[in-house]
Amino acid sequence: MKQAFVFLATGFEEIEALGTVDILRRGGIRVSTVSIMGELKVMGAHNIPVVADFVFEEADFSVVDALILPGGIPGSNHLNTCTRLKELILKKYQEDVILAAICAGPMVLGGLGLLKGRRATCFPNFEPTMIGATPTYTGVEQDGKIITCKGPGFVFEFGLSILKSLRDEEIADEVAAALQVNM
C-alpha cells in the first residue's frame, strides 16, 4: 500500500489538509498526518483543533510515496521555517517521491529551488515565493513528480491528482464518482 504524509503546523488550512487526507484514504492510500509543532494537537487556521497521527520526531519516513504540504497562514510559514521538514523534502526529492503543495504551501518547494524551470500554481499573490517557477494560474498543476494547487476551492482536484499519481486514473475516477466530483 502506498504511503503519504501530510504535514500540519499551527494555522494550517483545514480543508486543504483534511480534504486531501480523506480523498487519498478513500483511494486506498495509507495517509498519516504529522505535526511539526512538537505536540500531536495542532490548531488550524479557523480554530479547528486536529490531533495528528505523529509528531515529526516520531514518524518513520523510510517508506514514503508522497509528501504533502497544506497551505494556510501562518501554517505555511511554519512549514517553510522547519529545517527538519525541508531536509526531508530535499532527501525524498532525490528519491523521486511525489511532492505536493497547495495554496501558500508551494513557497516551501520554491524556497528549496525545487520549482526552478517547472510549471506551478499557488494562491494568488504568492507567485514570487515560487522561486524560478513558471506560474500557470490554473487550479492544479503537475510537472513531473511535483503537484501544486491554487487553493482550497481546488482540494478535490488536488487530492484526486495525487491519487492518480500514486495509484492510477481508474481509482481516481472511482473516488471522484463516489464523491460526486466531475473531473
Side-chain angles (χ1 to χ4, degrees):
M1 180 180 280
K2 300 282 187 171
Q3 172 73 51
F5 291 95
V6 176
F7 295 91
L8 305 179
T10 301
F12 72 94
E13 185 68 50
E14 295 96 340
I15 195 168
E16 294 170 357
L18 299 178
T20 303
V21 169
D22 182 276
I23 291 163
L24 294 177
R25 286 184 179 174
R26 287 172 189 256
I29 305 299
R30 183 182 314 121
V31 184
S32 298
T33 54
V34 179
S35 167
I36 68 159
M37 305 308 294
E39 59 186 272
L40 289 174
K41 185 177 174 183
V42 184
M43 189 63 72
H46 301 96
N47 296 316
I48 300 172
V50 173
V51 178
D53 298 309
F54 300 99
V55 291
F56 190 93
E57 297 77 15
E58 296 175 359
D60 178 4
F61 300 112
S62 60
V63 177
V64 59
D65 300 289
L67 301 177
I68 302 165
L69 308 173
I73 297 295
S76 293
N77 292 331
H78 290 304
L79 296 177
N80 200 32
T81 59
C82 182
T83 303
R84 298 168 315 211
L85 175 60
K86 294 195 309 189
E87 289 170 351
L88 175 67
I89 290 169
L90 287 171
K91 178 181 183 217
K92 295 303 180 180
Y93 175 77
Q94 296 301 320
E95 296 174 15
D96 215 23
V97 165
I98 291 170
L99 302 177
I102 182 171
C103 193
M107 76 166 68
V108 179
L109 304 179
L112 292 170
L114 302 180
L115 298 179
K116 287 183 180 166
R118 293 182 181 272
R119 297 177 321 278
T121 192
C122 64
F123 196 78
N125 299 318
F126 278 84
E127 292 85 3
T129 69
M130 298 193 309
I131 300 166
T134 301
T136 63
Y137 308 99
T138 58
V140 173
E141 187 64 58
Q142 182 164 0
D143 192 331
K145 293 284 186 172
I146 295 181
I147 301 170
T148 54
C149 180
K150 193 174 203 172
F154 298 94
V155 71
F156 288 104
E157 188 178 345
F158 180 65
L160 292 166
S161 294
I162 298 167
L163 181 57
K164 182 178 173 183
S165 293
L166 290 174
R167 298 280 313 267
D168 60 39
E169 190 167 353
E170 183 178 339
I171 297 291
D173 288 345
E174 288 173 10
V175 170
L179 291 169
Q180 299 292 294
V181 175
N182 295 324
M183 291 295 292

PDB file of all heavy atoms in Angstrom, residues 131-147:
ATOM      1  N   ILE A 131       9.998  30.461  -6.362  1.00  0.00           N
ATOM      2  CA  ILE A 131      11.230  30.927  -6.988  1.00  0.00           C
ATOM      3  C   ILE A 131      11.606  30.061  -8.192  1.00  0.00           C
ATOM      4  O   ILE A 131      11.763  28.845  -8.086  1.00  0.00           O
ATOM      5  CB  ILE A 131      12.373  30.970  -5.953  1.00  0.00           C
ATOM      6  CG1 ILE A 131      11.980  31.924  -4.822  1.00  0.00           C
ATOM      7  CG2 ILE A 131      13.685  31.379  -6.604  1.00  0.00           C
ATOM      8  CD1 ILE A 131      12.824  31.815  -3.589  1.00  0.00           C
ATOM      9  N   GLY A 132      11.713  30.700  -9.341  1.00  0.00           N
ATOM     10  CA  GLY A 132      12.130  30.027 -10.563  1.00  0.00           C
ATOM     11  C   GLY A 132      11.038  29.300 -11.310  1.00  0.00           C
ATOM     12  O   GLY A 132      11.277  28.759 -12.387  1.00  0.00           O
ATOM     13  N   ALA A 133       9.836  29.273 -10.768  1.00  0.00           N
ATOM     14  CA  ALA A 133       8.733  28.557 -11.421  1.00  0.00           C
ATOM     15  C   ALA A 133       8.103  29.406 -12.507  1.00  0.00           C
ATOM     16  O   ALA A 133       8.219  30.629 -12.517  1.00  0.00           O
ATOM     17  CB  ALA A 133       7.671  28.181 -10.393  1.00  0.00           C
ATOM     18  N   THR A 134       7.409  28.750 -13.415  1.00  0.00           N
ATOM     19  CA  THR A 134       6.562  29.419 -14.380  1.00  0.00           C
ATOM     20  C   THR A 134       5.135  29.299 -13.855  1.00  0.00           C
ATOM     21  O   THR A 134       4.531  28.219 -13.934  1.00  0.00           O
ATOM     22  CB  THR A 134       6.667  28.749 -15.766  1.00  0.00           C
ATOM     23  OG1 THR A 134       8.022  28.786 -16.201  1.00  0.00           O
ATOM     24  CG2 THR A 134       5.768  29.425 -16.776  1.00  0.00           C
ATOM     25  N   PRO A 135       4.590  30.379 -13.273  1.00  0.00           N
ATOM     26  CA  PRO A 135       3.228  30.305 -12.730  1.00  0.00           C
ATOM     27  C   PRO A 135       2.208  30.065 -13.838  1.00  0.00           C
ATOM     28  O   PRO A 135       2.266  30.686 -14.891  1.00  0.00           O
ATOM     29  CB  PRO A 135       3.023  31.680 -12.088  1.00  0.00           C
ATOM     30  CG  PRO A 135       4.390  32.240 -11.895  1.00  0.00           C
ATOM     31  CD  PRO A 135       5.217  31.674 -13.016  1.00  0.00           C
ATOM     32  N   THR A 136       1.277  29.153 -13.584  1.00  0.00           N
ATOM     33  CA  THR A 136       0.267  28.839 -14.596  1.00  0.00           C
ATOM     34  C   THR A 136      -1.110  29.388 -14.239  1.00  0.00           C
ATOM     35  O   THR A 136      -1.970  29.457 -15.100  1.00  0.00           O
ATOM     36  CB  THR A 136       0.134  27.318 -14.794  1.00  0.00           C
ATOM     37  OG1 THR A 136      -0.322  26.730 -13.573  1.00  0.00           O
ATOM     38  CG2 THR A 136       1.449  26.700 -15.228  1.00  0.00           C
ATOM     39  N   TYR A 137      -1.336  29.716 -12.982  1.00  0.00           N
ATOM     40  CA  TYR A 137      -2.611  30.272 -12.513  1.00  0.00           C
ATOM     41  C   TYR A 137      -3.775  29.298 -12.691  1.00  0.00           C
ATOM     42  O   TYR A 137      -4.919  29.697 -12.624  1.00  0.00           O
ATOM     43  CB  TYR A 137      -2.905  31.620 -13.192  1.00  0.00           C
ATOM     44  CG  TYR A 137      -1.749  32.579 -13.064  1.00  0.00           C
ATOM     45  CD1 TYR A 137      -0.844  32.742 -14.110  1.00  0.00           C
ATOM     46  CD2 TYR A 137      -1.546  33.278 -11.887  1.00  0.00           C
ATOM     47  CE1 TYR A 137       0.238  33.611 -13.980  1.00  0.00           C
ATOM     48  CE2 TYR A 137      -0.460  34.151 -11.755  1.00  0.00           C
ATOM     49  CZ  TYR A 137       0.418  34.306 -12.804  1.00  0.00           C
ATOM     50  OH  TYR A 137       1.494  35.156 -12.669  1.00  0.00           O
ATOM     51  N   THR A 138      -3.477  28.021 -12.917  1.00  0.00           N
ATOM     52  CA  THR A 138      -4.515  27.006 -13.031  1.00  0.00           C
ATOM     53  C   THR A 138      -4.884  26.512 -11.635  1.00  0.00           C
ATOM     54  O   THR A 138      -4.201  26.816 -10.650  1.00  0.00           O
ATOM     55  CB  THR A 138      -4.030  25.820 -13.878  1.00  0.00           C
ATOM     56  OG1 THR A 138      -2.846  25.283 -13.276  1.00  0.00           O
ATOM     57  CG2 THR A 138      -3.732  26.237 -15.301  1.00  0.00           C
ATOM     58  N   GLY A 139      -5.947  25.715 -11.533  1.00  0.00           N
ATOM     59  CA  GLY A 139      -6.348  25.168 -10.243  1.00  0.00           C
ATOM     60  C   GLY A 139      -5.327  24.196  -9.687  1.00  0.00           C
ATOM     61  O   GLY A 139      -4.941  24.278  -8.521  1.00  0.00           O
ATOM     62  N   VAL A 140      -4.882  23.269 -10.521  1.00  0.00           N
ATOM     63  CA  VAL A 140      -3.874  22.280 -10.141  1.00  0.00           C
ATOM     64  C   VAL A 140      -2.886  22.162 -11.280  1.00  0.00           C
ATOM     65  O   VAL A 140      -3.270  22.172 -12.448  1.00  0.00           O
ATOM     66  CB  VAL A 140      -4.511  20.906  -9.833  1.00  0.00           C
ATOM     67  CG1 VAL A 140      -3.447  19.847  -9.598  1.00  0.00           C
ATOM     68  CG2 VAL A 140      -5.438  20.999  -8.632  1.00  0.00           C
ATOM     69  N   GLU A 141      -1.636  22.051 -10.928  1.00  0.00           N
ATOM     70  CA  GLU A 141      -0.582  21.899 -11.934  1.00  0.00           C
ATOM     71  C   GLU A 141       0.332  20.757 -11.519  1.00  0.00           C
ATOM     72  O   GLU A 141       0.771  20.701 -10.363  1.00  0.00           O
ATOM     73  CB  GLU A 141       0.231  23.192 -12.047  1.00  0.00           C
ATOM     74  CG  GLU A 141       1.231  23.185 -13.176  1.00  0.00           C
ATOM     75  CD  GLU A 141       0.577  23.104 -14.542  1.00  0.00           C
ATOM     76  OE1 GLU A 141      -0.236  23.986 -14.872  1.00  0.00           O
ATOM     77  OE2 GLU A 141       0.886  22.151 -15.288  1.00  0.00           O
ATOM     78  N   GLN A 142       0.599  19.859 -12.449  1.00  0.00           N
ATOM     79  CA  GLN A 142       1.566  18.796 -12.186  1.00  0.00           C
ATOM     80  C   GLN A 142       2.685  18.902 -13.201  1.00  0.00           C
ATOM     81  O   GLN A 142       2.449  18.968 -14.410  1.00  0.00           O
ATOM     82  CB  GLN A 142       0.922  17.409 -12.264  1.00  0.00           C
ATOM     83  CG  GLN A 142       1.915  16.308 -11.951  1.00  0.00           C
ATOM     84  CD  GLN A 142       1.266  14.974 -11.645  1.00  0.00           C
ATOM     85  OE1 GLN A 142       0.051  14.840 -11.652  1.00  0.00           O
ATOM     86  NE2 GLN A 142       2.090  13.981 -11.359  1.00  0.00           N
ATOM     87  N   ASP A 143       3.906  18.936 -12.686  1.00  0.00           N
ATOM     88  CA  ASP A 143       5.098  18.957 -13.528  1.00  0.00           C
ATOM     89  C   ASP A 143       6.033  17.895 -12.974  1.00  0.00           C
ATOM     90  O   ASP A 143       6.674  18.080 -11.939  1.00  0.00           O
ATOM     91  CB  ASP A 143       5.760  20.333 -13.509  1.00  0.00           C
ATOM     92  CG  ASP A 143       6.835  20.481 -14.582  1.00  0.00           C
ATOM     93  OD1 ASP A 143       7.454  19.459 -14.950  1.00  0.00           O
ATOM     94  OD2 ASP A 143       7.052  21.609 -15.050  1.00  0.00           O
ATOM     95  N   GLY A 144       6.035  16.755 -13.630  1.00  0.00           N
ATOM     96  CA  GLY A 144       6.810  15.623 -13.132  1.00  0.00           C
ATOM     97  C   GLY A 144       6.216  15.126 -11.826  1.00  0.00           C
ATOM     98  O   GLY A 144       5.011  14.921 -11.713  1.00  0.00           O
ATOM     99  N   LYS A 145       7.056  14.973 -10.815  1.00  0.00           N
ATOM    100  CA  LYS A 145       6.622  14.460  -9.515  1.00  0.00           C
ATOM    101  C   LYS A 145       6.180  15.574  -8.567  1.00  0.00           C
ATOM    102  O   LYS A 145       5.953  15.320  -7.382  1.00  0.00           O
ATOM    103  CB  LYS A 145       7.750  13.659  -8.865  1.00  0.00           C
ATOM    104  CG  LYS A 145       8.089  12.387  -9.585  1.00  0.00           C
ATOM    105  CD  LYS A 145       7.045  11.336  -9.307  1.00  0.00           C
ATOM    106  CE  LYS A 145       7.446  10.012  -9.916  1.00  0.00           C
ATOM    107  NZ  LYS A 145       6.553   8.944  -9.507  1.00  0.00           N
ATOM    108  N   ILE A 146       6.055  16.796  -9.066  1.00  0.00           N
ATOM    109  CA  ILE A 146       5.624  17.912  -8.223  1.00  0.00           C
ATOM    110  C   ILE A 146       4.217  18.344  -8.630  1.00  0.00           C
ATOM    111  O   ILE A 146       3.951  18.637  -9.797  1.00  0.00           O
ATOM    112  CB  ILE A 146       6.613  19.084  -8.294  1.00  0.00           C
ATOM    113  CG1 ILE A 146       7.953  18.641  -7.694  1.00  0.00           C
ATOM    114  CG2 ILE A 146       6.058  20.299  -7.562  1.00  0.00           C
ATOM    115  CD1 ILE A 146       9.024  19.693  -7.666  1.00  0.00           C
ATOM    116  N   ILE A 147       3.328  18.367  -7.636  1.00  0.00           N
ATOM    117  CA  ILE A 147       1.934  18.762  -7.850  1.00  0.00           C
ATOM    118  C   ILE A 147       1.666  19.983  -6.978  1.00  0.00           C
ATOM    119  O   ILE A 147       1.895  19.946  -5.768  1.00  0.00           O
ATOM    120  CB  ILE A 147       0.962  17.627  -7.474  1.00  0.00           C
ATOM    121  CG1 ILE A 147       1.258  16.371  -8.308  1.00  0.00           C
ATOM    122  CG2 ILE A 147      -0.488  18.086  -7.660  1.00  0.00           C
ATOM    123  CD1 ILE A 147       0.511  15.130  -7.860  1.00  0.00           C
TER     124      ILE A 147
END
